[in-house]
Amino acid sequence: MDRKHLSFCYKWFDDYVRRVHCQDAEIEKNIDLKLRHTYRVCDNVTKIARSLDMKRDDLALAQALALFHDVGRFEQLRDFCSYNDAITADHALLGLKVINRSKVLSGLPKRERNIIRKSIWHHNKYQIPITEKADVVLFSRLIRDADKLDILGIVAEHFEKRDQHPNPALDFGLTDELGLSPEAVSDILQGKMVRIAALKTLGDMHLMYLSWIFDIHFPITLACIKEKHYLERLLADLPIEPDIIQVRDFLQAYLEKRSLISI
């Protein structure tokens, strides 16, 4: 993708988002939150791609992917008032429908259209299929790292300020307690991401976000997670119990080991 087409993508995105508004102040607040998230993910993906010495045209493609990855969130929020795909619709699928309907990718070569569409589809799934081609896997990993890195910052701040500035859309309707489900604890201690379907409490939600480190692919993303102390911040509210101590020690050891391997 050349810079000219990337500029076209940015203009289309800005025009699209300006048309998606709601009179409900709470929903409008979350539309703005998602817009700011998108631009930070663009920054993240640029930083990660440059750390890999990605060629200029592929860097532009990665930036366009970051711009479009959550485009389905805007209509999801407007129509369902929720971020929860399980009770609304898969926001990746919603995004692909928006993109296909608009034909914003029509001027791109087939390879680039395919990478953007497949990477959007994969960005919120539990894992990338092992059958995918190498270029789709690379861009899918890029967007997954960039996306997770920013969401970890959003949710860490949400939990830290939740009492003063509640945002029900970020709580997914979970019970307002910090107890942990055995299934969520077990997943982490096996080095597996906690699935959304397993969440029963806000404590479980903390564990789900913490478990995302098992799906981080690039050294620079790991370095940012350590620098911003996301593990410590997401663990801070949880009660000091044997399960929490075990989870904390496991996650910290995993992060240290991955960091050493990445040097």
Side-chain angles (χ1 to χ4, degrees), residues 52-164:
L52 303 174
D53 292 325
M54 187 168 273
K55 294 179 181 178
R56 185 173 61 180
D57 286 356
D58 279 347
L59 172 58
L61 185 62
Q63 291 167 330
L65 167 61
L67 190 66
F68 293 148
H69 83 284
D70 258 358
V71 73
R73 286 294 198 193
F74 299 99
E75 292 186 17
Q76 181 188 43
L77 280 165
R78 184 194 64 193
D79 297 342
F80 300 105
C81 313
S82 173
Y83 286 125
N84 191 344
D85 288 12
I87 62 172
T88 60
D90 183 335
H91 73 274
L93 179 59
L94 292 175
L96 290 173
K97 288 179 178 179
V98 170
I99 286 170
N100 291 340
R101 186 172 68 232
S102 72
K103 303 191 185 325
V104 65
L105 304 182
S106 61
L108 293 178
K110 183 178 179 180
R111 169 185 173 268
E112 295 184 351
R113 295 197 307 269
N114 185 61
I115 286 173
I116 289 178
R117 287 186 176 120
K118 286 199 169 185
S119 299
I120 288 173
W121 176 251
H122 295 320
H123 91 274
N124 67 333
K125 302 304 181 291
Y126 189 74
Q127 59 189 10
I128 305 166
I130 60 173
T131 53
E132 272 298 0
K133 294 181 179 179
D135 54 0
V136 172
V137 170
L138 172 61
F139 282 86
S140 296
R141 286 177 172 176
L142 273 172
I143 191 59
R144 287 165 74 92
D145 266 36
D147 192 32
K148 284 181 170 65
L149 181 59
D150 189 64
I151 293 173
L152 287 172
I154 291 172
V155 297
E157 184 174 352
H158 168 62
F159 288 128
E160 288 165 351
K161 299 180 178 180
R162 185 171 171 271
D163 290 342
Q164 295 78 27

Side-chain angles (χ1 to χ4, degrees), residues 209-258:
Y209 289 122
L210 287 163
S211 74
W212 280 3
I213 67 167
F214 302 133
D215 190 53
I216 297 300
H217 298 282
F218 301 107
I220 194 168
T221 317
L222 287 168
C224 288
I225 288 172
K226 287 188 68 176
E227 178 186 342
K228 295 177 184 296
H229 304 289
Y230 287 148
L231 261 64
E232 293 85 351
R233 291 169 66 186
L234 285 167
L235 284 164
D237 287 342
L238 299 179
I240 304 301
E241 297 176 352
D243 280 349
I244 294 297
I245 295 171
Q246 195 175 11
V247 162
R248 180 199 64 198
D249 292 348
F250 187 90
L251 289 169
Q252 289 177 341
Y254 176 87
L255 189 58
E256 288 301 320
K257 181 179 178 181
R258 283 287 312 278

